[in-house]
Amino acid sequence: MTAYRAEIFITLKPSVLDPAGTAITKGLQQQQYPGVQEVRIGKYIELTLTAADASTAHAQVEQMCQEVLTNPVIETYRFTLEAGR
Amino acid sequence: MTAYRAEIFITLKPSVLDPAGTAITKGLQQQQYPGVQEVRIGKYIELTLTAADASTAHAQVEQMCQEVLTNPVIETYRFTLEAGR
C-alpha cells in the first residue's frame, strides 16, 4: 500500500449566496481595504490515505468528496493528489 | 488600478487539535474508507481586490491575513496572488 496526500478545495456554487463572505467583504472595505471587491469562503481539507495505487486513491477521494465531504446541492469541489505523506 | 485575485489557505497549526477533522477521519474509516489516515479541516478563501500594483496587492493580502482573516495563535496561512479577476 502507498501513502497519498489529497488537498481538497470546497467552494459554494457561484449562484449560492455567501453571507459570511459578504460580511467579511464589508468589514475589510470599511476598515482600511477599500480595494477589496469580493470574498468567498470555502473549505480546505488535507486528507492522507493509503491505497493500492494512484487510481484507487483518486477514485476513493472522488467518492469521499461526492458522498461525505460536500453538499452537492450548494457546493463544488476540486482536489489534488500526490504520493507520499 | 489593476484587479488581483488571491487564493488564501488557512490551516490549524500542527500542534492544535482538530476535533472536526478527527470526527470526519473516524466517520470515513468506519464507513468504507479504512485507508484514511488523517483529515485536517481548514479555510479556503477567494478574495478579489484592486490595487496600484502587484506588490501593493501582496502587502494588503498579507496584512488582511494577519490582522483579519486568521487567528495567529492557532492558525497559519499561505496565499497565491494573480492579476486579473
Side-chain angles (χ1 to χ4, degrees):
Chain A
M1 295 288 261
T2 309
Y4 294 90
R5 183 172 175 277
E7 288 185 283
I8 302 164
F9 310 92
I10 299 170
T11 51
L12 290 170
K13 289 182 176 175
S15 57
V16 177
L17 276 179
D18 178 8
T22 305
I24 290 178
T25 304
K26 289 200 174 108
L28 290 169
Q29 289 168 341
Q30 285 155 11
Q31 280 189 35
Q32 58 193 91
Y33 307 102
V36 170
Q37 306 294 305
E38 183 182 33
V39 174
R40 300 275 297 178
I41 310 287
K43 282 176 273 190
Y44 168 63
I45 296 178
E46 296 169 311
L47 186 148
T48 53
L49 74 159
T50 56
D53 51 50
S55 61
T56 307
H58 191 281
Q60 285 196 3
V61 174
E62 190 89 58
Q63 194 178 350
M64 285 187 255
C65 285
Q66 287 171 0
E67 294 181 3
V68 181
L69 301 173
T70 67
N71 174 345
V73 174
I74 61 168
E75 292 174 328
T76 59
Y77 68 88
R78 59 184 171 86
F79 66 87
T80 62
L81 186 69
E82 57 184 23
R85 187 171 162 69
Chain B
M1 298 288 262
T2 310
Y4 294 90
R5 183 173 174 277
E7 288 186 282
I8 302 164
F9 311 91
I10 299 171
T11 52
L12 290 170
K13 289 183 176 174
S15 58
V16 176
L17 276 181
D18 178 8
T22 306
I24 290 177
T25 304
K26 288 201 175 108
L28 290 169
Q29 288 168 341
Q30 284 154 13
Q31 279 189 34
Q32 57 194 92
Y33 306 102
V36 169
Q37 306 295 305
E38 184 184 34
V39 174
R40 300 277 295 178
I41 311 286
K43 281 175 274 191
Y44 167 63
I45 296 178
E46 296 169 311
L47 186 149
T48 52
L49 75 158
T50 55
D53 51 51
S55 61
T56 307
H58 191 281
Q60 286 196 1
V61 174
E62 190 89 58
Q63 195 178 349
M64 284 187 256
C65 285
Q66 288 172 358
E67 293 181 3
V68 181
L69 299 174
T70 67
N71 174 345
V73 175
I74 61 169
E75 292 173 328
T76 58
Y77 68 89
R78 59 185 172 86
F79 66 88
T80 61
L81 186 69
E82 56 183 24
R85 187 166 166 68

